[in-house]
């Protein structure tokens, strides 16, 4: 298992569109992906679960990946989040 701590930096936080982008990306990988924030842990492959984190801008999250392609998955997820979910900022 590998993990990384990140900060949600996009203006709208982990809203529906951002959650959908994250879940879509996560579903491209075989490894298990867990996202933690606000004392909650959710399946990173579920849009609804990600939205339940209520992760606004500035929220600290932890991404945990476990499985054969965990390194690649974590790298791509970090790029997505650090690129503001490809939204204009």
């Amino acid at each position: 298992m590998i993990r990384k701590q990140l900060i949600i930096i996009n203006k709208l936080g982990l809203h529906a569109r951002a959650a959908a982008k994250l879940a879509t990306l996560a579903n491209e990988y075989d490894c298990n992906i867990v996202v933690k924030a606000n004392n909650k842990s959710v399946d990173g492959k579920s849009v609804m679960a990600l939205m339940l984190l209520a992760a606004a801008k500035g929220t600290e999250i932890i991404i945990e990946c476990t499985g054969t392609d965990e390194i690649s998955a974590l790298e791509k997820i970090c790029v997505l989040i650090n690129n503001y979910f490809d939204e204009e900022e």
Side-chain angles (χ1 to χ4, degrees):
M1 175 181 65
I2 58 172
R3 71 173 63 186
K4 177 111 176 150
Q5 182 178 342
L6 299 163
I7 302 292
I8 298 294
I9 57 174
N10 61 311
K11 183 168 59 172
L12 298 175
L14 197 51
H15 58 92
R17 190 168 36 252
K21 286 182 179 183
L22 178 52
T24 299
L25 178 61
N27 277 294
E28 293 178 9
Y29 296 92
D30 292 327
C31 64
N32 291 323
I33 299 171
V34 174
V35 181
K36 298 180 177 185
N38 302 321
N39 296 318
K40 297 176 192 170
S41 295
V42 300
D43 180 359
K45 297 183 178 187
S46 168
V47 176
M48 291 303 295
L50 289 167
M51 289 176 55
L52 289 174
L53 288 176
K57 181 178 182 178
T59 301
E60 180 180 293
I61 65 169
I62 296 172
I63 309 289
E64 292 181 349
C65 300
T66 307
T68 56
D69 52 1
E70 63 188 24
I71 294 171
S72 179
L74 186 60
E75 287 174 356
K76 293 292 185 177
I77 290 169
C78 289
V79 168
L80 178 68
I81 293 170
N82 288 328
N83 283 335
Y84 300 86
F85 294 93
D86 300 324
E87 298 173 352
E88 290 184 26
E89 198 58 25

